Amino acid sequence: MASTLFDLTGRIALITGSSRGIGRVIAQALAEAGATIVLNGRDEERLAATHADFSAEFGAERVYARAFDVADATAVATAIAEIEASIGAIGVLVNNAGIQHREPMLDLDVEDWNRVISTNLTSAFLVGREVARHMLARGEGKIINIASVQTELARPTIGPYTVSKGGIRNLTRAMTAEWANGGLQINAIAPGYIHTEMTQALVDDDTFNSWILGRTPAGRWGTPADLGGPAVWLASSGSDYVNGQVIFIDGGMTVVV
């Protein structure tokens, strides 16, 4: 008899920032494991295209899309209430929405700092809080926050991103401290250097690419597909006693010097 530990059939999963990149791949992995997925993004055209692709693959009855700004508290509260009422109980939340801004801190505008912190960190608090209200009432739920190797490491010119991802680690711990006794499991996935649209310029930079290959024990960039399995695990019954953890998926980068 096949194990059902990682079967997500019947669970509804909301994945923020899921019209492309890491979020899209995680949404696909959850759907492949049986989940009904709710895609999210601010670019309505790109979101509609992803919704159409996934509906064709998994069936329209298992794929939904909701465009809302995850950094807008009012929009978040309205969207979560609507999803719960019209689609069903959110059993899994993946807080994936994020942006990058590369600039030395001495030259950094406060507006750009605030934009990164709001999109990467405050949004996880806002969406997590609204979803948790419903999960706690039901006594169960899974929240997966997307961190980064920058949760533990820093590099020049990405100060706001580094701070936001360090915040994700402690937001995950704070959520665990307050919500674990209500039946929730809250954990974080910390990707290493993943080859996506966001990092394409780095891959194309011969010097940086060589540094990544030499710095990573696995000897390669990660791919979004490398994140699917861990996301399914954390969304499933197979992780019911895992709480407050940051799971690094980085080819070993953070454990060597």
Side-chain angles (χ1 to χ4, degrees):
M1 181 177 177
S3 171
T4 59
L5 272 180
F6 309 109
D7 183 5
L8 302 181
T9 301
R11 301 196 190 199
I12 295 172
L14 167 64
I15 308 95
T16 68
S18 49
S19 61
R20 64 176 179 175
I22 287 172
R24 176 175 173 141
V25 171
I26 289 176
Q28 178 156 357
L30 297 182
E32 288 173 348
T36 293
I37 57 172
V38 183
L39 304 167
N40 159 264
R42 286 191 297 178
D43 185 323
E44 294 193 20
E45 183 176 347
R46 188 163 58 213
L47 183 62
T50 302
H51 177 254
D53 289 345
F54 281 13
S55 294
E57 183 172 359
F58 300 110
E61 71 282 0
R62 288 183 49 214
V63 181
Y64 299 85
R66 294 294 185 271
F68 61 92
D69 184 353
V70 293
D72 181 322
T74 300
V76 167
T78 299
I80 298 307
E82 188 274 330
I83 291 168
E84 287 269 336
S86 67
I87 300 174
I90 299 170
V92 179
L93 166 65
V94 181
N95 278 314
N96 168 75
I99 58 173
Q100 180 62 281
H101 183 84
R102 302 180 190 279
E103 189 172 11
M105 285 195 289
L106 291 181
D107 302 321
L108 185 67
D109 287 340
V110 173
E111 291 78 8
D112 289 322
W113 168 278
N114 289 338
R115 181 171 56 88
V116 174
I117 297 298
S118 178
T119 303
N120 294 5
L121 178 57
T122 305
S123 69
F125 159 67
L126 293 174
V127 182
R129 178 176 64 174
E130 292 307 315
V131 170
R133 295 187 198 279
H134 298 276
M135 288 180 169
L136 289 167
R138 293 187 287 267
E140 62 180 0
K142 305 275 187 175
I143 296 177
I144 305 168
N145 297 321
I146 303 302
S148 166
V149 289
Q150 266 67 51
T151 295
E152 292 290 343
L153 306 175
R155 281 185 57 81
T157 75
I158 56 170
Y161 185 86
T162 302
V163 171
S164 71
K165 293 304 182 179
I168 285 290
R169 173 191 56 207
N170 278 353
L171 176 63
T172 300
R173 293 173 176 175
M175 288 175 167
T176 297
E178 297 199 16
W179 302 338
N181 67 355
L184 277 61
Q185 290 83 51
I186 307 98
N187 295 285
I189 287 173
Y193 281 86
I194 307 295
H195 187 173
T196 66
E197 293 175 52
M198 182 183 288
T199 59
Q200 185 61 53
L202 299 178
V203 175
D204 293 338
D205 183 323
D206 289 341
T207 300
F208 192 86
N209 182 58
S210 296
W211 179 81
I212 289 293
L213 298 181
R215 179 69 176 79
T216 305
R220 67 173 177 87
W221 286 76
T223 69
D226 290 320
L227 307 178
V232 169
W233 170 56
L234 290 177
S236 75
S237 298
S239 60
D240 280 353
Y241 200 54
V242 181
N243 232 320
Q245 302 303 306
V246 179
I247 312 299
F248 284 86
I249 306 166
D250 63 359
M253 175 177 277
T254 54
V255 300
V256 299
V257 295

